[in-house]
Amino acid sequence: MRDLEAVLDWAAEEGWNPGLEDAEAFFAADPGGFFLAEEDDRPVAAISVVNHSAAFAFLGLYLCLASHRGRGIGYGLWRHAIAHAADRVIGLDGVPEQQGNYLRSGFAQAGETVRYGGELRGQREAGIRPAAEADLPALIALEAGASGAAKPAFMTAWFAERETRRTFVHEGGGGITGSVTIRRCRRGAKIGPLVAPDVEAAVALLCHAAAEMGPEVIVDLPGGSDGLAERCLAMGLAPGFRTARMYRGTPPPRGDAVYSVGTLELG
């Protein structure tokens, strides 16, 4: 896991702004899903292909040191790592400069993810409480239904409370109807995943999370989130970083809930 922590430092240098305690939860998702290329016993490239289930994997953390680009090292590692997914559907969030390469490797664009960020005035809301261990099955099911793909090992680790990562649940109608996770990052805090039955509940969860770890927050919204995107703009969060959600194979069917991406690295 020490290697993964070093790779996340590379990601920070690239401006990806990972969370302060991401490595443990990432590694728990699939310990065999992280790969390095070395030269002279020194890591020079990295990639993750995490098998979330028997049917779905996610590719991320595709990085190569600037001094070693253009030599085929990254692509060689890509071909080695992608075999880990076997015949699973593979998802990724592709930055603009790599999308052409992903298309040539058999991935097709299925949507776009837009990052919104800025200072958000936090407000604790009635009906929202810290998640408890007993909530875990419901939280995993909510995220899977919203995103279209179950990630039980990753979400079990992700929803475990840490000093810099907390999850809150929204209750109504006799049970949990939504949730939000917020984690401190190298800069500010990131929201994700967020699952809510409607935009109003999503805004309440966002504001509650911001009251805990804000005010500078970041949230990644997939295409089709127009209602929540409009509210983010109205609350002062500005659009910025964009990625293409791409898949090799049939994209998993997303549910009807209002949803934000958990992480661009693991889906």
Side-chain angles (χ1 to χ4, degrees):
M1 194 167 70
R2 185 175 300 173
D3 286 337
L4 179 54
E5 291 171 345
V7 170
L8 290 172
D9 287 339
W10 292 2
E13 291 169 7
E14 291 290 327
W16 295 3
N17 193 29
L20 298 180
E21 293 184 277
D22 284 355
E24 180 184 6
F26 282 13
F27 194 73
D30 178 7
F34 300 88
F35 304 87
L36 288 175
E38 295 184 332
E39 186 174 89
D40 299 326
D41 296 323
R42 182 170 72 99
V44 297
I47 193 171
S48 62
V49 179
V50 169
N51 292 338
H52 284 302
S53 70
F56 184 70
F58 203 85
L59 186 154
L61 292 173
Y62 187 32
L63 294 154
C64 185
L65 296 182
S67 57
H68 288 71
R69 293 172 188 167
R71 295 168 47 188
I73 296 173
Y75 183 56
L77 182 62
W78 163 285
R79 288 186 296 172
H80 174 82
I82 210 165
H84 179 66
D87 60 354
R88 292 171 175 83
V89 173
I90 305 175
L92 61 81
D93 282 299
V95 296
E97 57 268 26
Q98 289 290 341
Q99 288 167 19
N101 291 331
Y102 299 147
L103 287 168
R104 288 187 288 273
S105 294
F107 287 77
Q109 184 168 348
E112 183 181 54
T113 302
V114 182
R115 175 163 291 178
Y116 288 81
E119 291 196 0
L120 178 62
R121 180 181 177 184
Q123 180 175 326
R124 290 175 175 82
E125 301 282 348
I128 296 176
R129 61 167 175 80
E133 186 175 353
D135 300 323
L136 189 57
L139 294 176
I140 293 172
L142 274 174
E143 195 282 334
S147 69
K151 313 175 188 76
F154 177 42
M155 287 296 137
T156 295
W158 198 245
F159 291 137
E161 183 174 332
R162 294 291 181 266
E163 183 178 351
T164 65
R165 188 175 63 247
R166 300 194 68 197
T167 296
F168 301 90
V169 299
H170 178 278
E171 292 184 302
I176 295 172
T177 60
S179 71
V180 63
T181 299
I182 185 167
R183 74 196 200 274
R184 294 197 187 280
C185 297
R186 312 294 175 100
R187 186 187 70 255
K190 286 183 181 175
I191 304 283
L194 181 151
V195 182
D198 52 49
V199 172
E200 292 304 320
V203 170
L205 284 161
L206 272 173
C207 291
H208 191 96
E212 295 289 334
M213 288 193 184
E216 185 180 355
V217 298
I218 296 162
V219 58
D220 294 311
L221 298 184
S225 305
D226 295 349
L228 183 54
E230 290 174 3
R231 294 294 294 274
C232 285
L233 289 171
M235 293 187 294
L237 302 183
F241 188 70
R242 294 173 182 264
T243 60
R245 174 56 66 94
M246 308 178 78
Y247 293 96
R248 188 194 74 175
T250 303
R254 278 185 52 204
D256 296 329
V258 180
Y259 173 71
S260 79
V261 176
T263 78
L264 297 183
E265 294 83 11
L266 267 72

